[in-house]
Amino acid sequence: MVDSREVEEGQAIRRRRSCSACGRRFTTVEELVLSVVKRSGVTEAFSREKVVRGVRRACQGRPVEEDALQQLAHRVEDAVRSRGVSELSSHEVGLAILGPLRELDEVAYLRFASVYRAFSSVEDFEKEIADLRDAAGVVARAAEENAGG
């Protein structure tokens, strides 16, 4: 007999089993191992700490708390795990970082995006800044409509 249930928000499965030889019951916990395929083709386990290290570099000199970096890494891990795949590219991890980092600190976001997207000109920065301004304008207009309505 096997009784299974999800634990840790679906990131693991807890199984209650019984030994067919002796009848004793025991529990196993099976965790989803998330692997990242790097550009070089090397595969390694997803590391929340590597996300924090990469984002910390982009946040150097910015007023960003360590706790905020940990929360961002947790959000990134949740986002990539929610895809339900066991393997993803480092590019997909980078994309998952961009959204939360943009919300956290726009300057750090620009730094990270410039390296991640390999900006090669001032025009690349100008376009990204224009996109940030457009998004800020949309948010401001929505806030005005909600306050007035």
Side-chain angles (χ1 to χ4, degrees):
M1 179 182 154
V2 176
D3 174 33
S4 302
R5 66 180 69 168
E6 287 186 2
V7 293
E8 298 178 29
E9 298 174 1
Q11 302 309 312
I13 298 174
R14 181 176 174 266
R15 298 192 195 279
R16 190 74 179 136
R17 303 171 182 264
S18 57
C19 176
S20 57
C22 69
R24 294 188 66 164
R25 294 181 51 81
F26 60 96
T27 301
T28 61
V29 177
E30 301 164 17
E31 293 186 48
L32 173 66
V33 175
L34 185 59
S35 299
V36 178
V37 181
K38 300 175 81 167
R39 280 184 229 140
S40 65
V42 173
T43 301
E44 61 183 42
F46 175 85
S47 166
R48 199 185 295 178
E49 188 51 42
K50 283 187 91 168
V51 171
V52 169
R53 278 198 310 267
V55 173
R56 185 181 291 127
R57 265 184 263 134
C59 292
Q60 270 185 322
R62 303 294 303 155
V64 176
E65 303 277 329
E66 182 65 25
D67 188 52
L69 296 177
Q70 296 295 331
Q71 289 176 15
L72 182 143
H74 184 74
R75 285 179 62 191
V76 169
E77 183 175 11
D78 285 350
V80 295
R81 283 190 183 277
S82 71
R83 295 179 185 182
V85 296
S86 61
E87 192 173 275
L88 65 153
S89 69
S90 57
H91 179 75
E92 291 172 293
V93 175
L95 288 175
I97 291 170
L98 287 172
L101 184 55
R102 186 175 181 165
E103 294 170 17
L104 179 65
D105 187 283
E106 290 179 340
V107 172
Y109 165 79
L110 277 173
R111 290 174 178 170
F112 189 88
S114 71
V115 173
Y116 178 71
R117 293 187 178 148
F119 287 6
S120 59
S121 68
V122 171
E123 289 78 21
D124 292 339
F125 281 94
E126 288 172 340
K127 182 187 177 314
E128 198 65 43
I129 291 168
D131 290 348
L132 283 169
R133 286 185 176 141
D134 289 346
V138 169
V139 170
R141 283 190 295 282
E144 287 173 8
E145 289 174 9
N146 288 339

